[in-house]
Amino acid sequence: METILKVISIFVGLFMIANGVWVVYMPPYGDEPIGLLVIAVGIFIPAITLFLARNSNRPCD
């Protein structure tokens, strides 16, 4: 898998985690479940991208 795709997925994941923390800790209150869901997706995106990159076929190797 292309390196740039892995780097972009990590940046998107970090951005989503930061956005989720912002939603959880800033008013208005009551949006905590949505913020936690955004944080979970921010962790899931880089994890699945790196998992797929490790298990994909590498024809050049």
Side-chain angles (χ1 to χ4, degrees):
M1 186 173 283
E2 294 291 328
T3 305
I4 191 70
L5 183 62
K6 291 187 269 187
V7 171
I8 288 173
S9 73
I10 290 172
F11 281 132
V12 168
L14 289 175
F15 174 74
M16 289 183 72
I17 291 170
N19 191 9
V21 170
W22 179 267
V23 169
V24 168
Y25 288 112
M26 298 304 275
Y29 297 105
D31 293 335
E32 288 84 7
I34 300 297
L36 294 175
L37 181 65
V38 169
I39 292 171
V41 170
I43 294 170
F44 181 73
I45 287 174
I48 195 70
T49 303
L50 294 175
F51 176 76
L52 289 174
R54 187 174 4 151
N55 292 333
S56 66
N57 294 334
R58 298 180 190 162
C60 61
D61 288 344

